Amino acid sequence: MAFVKRPSQPRYDVIVIGSGFAAAFFLKGFLGRAGDRARVLVLERGPRWPHARQIQARRSSPFDARNFYTRSGDPSKEWWFNLSFGGGSNCWWSNAPRFKPVDFATRTHFGVGRDWPISYTQLEPYYDQVERAMSLSGPDAPWPFPRSGAYPEPPHRFNDPEQRLKAAYPDQFFHTPCGRSRTGASGRPVCCGNGVCHLCPVDSKFTIQNSLMEPFEDPRVEIVVEAEVVGIDIAAGSAKGVVYRQAEAEQHVQADLVVVAANAMFNPLLLLRSGLSHPQLGRRLHEQVGLLAEVRLAHTDGFQGSTSVTGHGYMLYDDERRKTMAGCLIETWNVGLLRQEFGKWRKALPVRLVYEDVPDEANQVTVDPANPSRPVAHYRGHSDYTARAIARAEQDLARVMQPLDVEEIVVAKSVEPSEAHIMGTTVMGSDPRDSVVDPDCVHHQIRNLIVVGASTFPVSGPANPTLTLSAQALRVGDRLERSNG
Ligand SMILES: Cc1cc2nc3c(=O)[nH]c(=O)nc-3n(C[C@H](O)[C@H](O)[C@H](O)COP(=O)(O)OP(=O)(O)OC[C@H]3O[C@@H](n4cnc5c(N)ncnc54)[C@H](O)[C@@H]3O)c2cc1C
């Protein structure tokens, strides 16, 4: 085990900031190529809370995210994340679809947003590796994106309304790929179906702590927790190391390469605090927008699925409408309030509509001048592009759910405060004038500084981002030149 109280040496080949998905998959890719003498230091701001500790405390981290950033603009907007070893893997729900090929080229296909500087095809082998590393459960049926491998675990069981949607939309409705074990083949317990996946009672969903400790246990790696990086030392156009705070004292440690993997709220904060500037740095802060609905049914019972979310509908995802309004991924659930009418308790299909948003440059992260450890998240709201699609939610659902015995559809009056999918803020691109990092996530000006995670996404589709950011971080680590330490 490579956890140490403080770094054992003054200089490392690589310092990685953060220990979530982006850090873990970057390390996995990098260590696969690096020589025996490579030395890596991981600095993680939060503590290490194993699963048992989380269950005891009934929370996945000692910290409440709301105390770690300042809100500006829309007062109802929240940003959700987890500060502890393993990052968001401790509390994520583990729904893990890929982006579709069109999501990497929205400008080309729909005339909206920007194209990514890398394509689905370039990322595909890494998607496959990440799905295997997470032992995902998923469909073996034809899928809306091309795949080179099968999911390691079979899909979860649909509920009855989902069976009917599958029959009606064989090419648009699928089992949700997820990290909640279906058979136990992953080595993790089978999902208990309790629907409290943010704090999985049986440790069934994929987390870094239960399934991806190999990069952290590698003898070339040291990890220091409760060490908050406060800046990157930059001089003469290159990164020299980092400054971190541990038990109120500031320490310096040097490195040949610095990798920032602190999520889309803190990646830009660290770059800004380190004296870097760029017209795009911190900008394009966005996430998907969630809207809850309940499809009330006349005769069919729901809730029989074998995990919390079992269906993904692509009926509103990428048709022609996406030229004028946001695409939507329809999640169908087995968790939700039962109906209040006698005898109809289970006659419902809970739905979550997940809409993409087009990044707005005014939505951005800046440094709080009163407390530079705190990002300010400026958010004036989601785009008109997204609002247009949300305005049609009721009529779209009525059309899409026609194959069911619908009695009534109830759509929430307001959108959810957060989808917990923070993106944008250090966007990638080929042109240094309009992007912060290049297509390999290397900072355009500071060539030994890498930024990984969803902060590099120039735009995002309606699908959950973590599988994509993990595949991208694995690719970045894998493509670094072979090092002999
Ligand atoms: C409740 C919830 C449910 C979710 N469900 C899903 C889902 O079903 N599907 C999906 O795709 N996504 C989901 N997500 C989103 C997912 O968790 C994130 O996309 C993912 O964690 C981002 O990975 P990351 O490695 O970039 O950042 P993180 O996982 O946030 O890791 C960043 C790490 O950096 C550390 N750090 C930050 N600043 C510093 C610093 N200055 N010094 C040192 N360390 C620092 C943090 O403590 C953290 O451990 C969910 C998120 C939440 C909160």
Side-chain angles (χ1 to χ4, degrees), residues 291 316 353 355 388-398 411:
L291 185 68
L316 304 171
L353 301 168
Y355 293 92
R388 274 195 290 280
I390 290 174
R392 290 175 51 100
E394 220 161 313
Q395 70 187 94
D396 282 342
L397 262 186
V411 178

Side-chain angles (χ1 to χ4, degrees), residues 17-23 43-46 80-89 91-95 198 227-229 261-263 266 270 420-421 452-454 464-467 469:
I17 305 169
S19 63
F21 292 93
L43 294 170
E44 166 54 52
R45 168 182 194 159
W80 296 351
F81 48 82
N82 181 292
L83 300 175
S84 60
F85 176 77
S89 79
C91 66
W92 81 320
W93 212 264
S94 90
N95 294 326
H198 62 287
E228 180 195 354
V229 174
N263 84 34
F266 296 100
L270 280 168
H421 298 160
V452 280
N464 315 51
T466 306
L467 191 79
L469 76 87

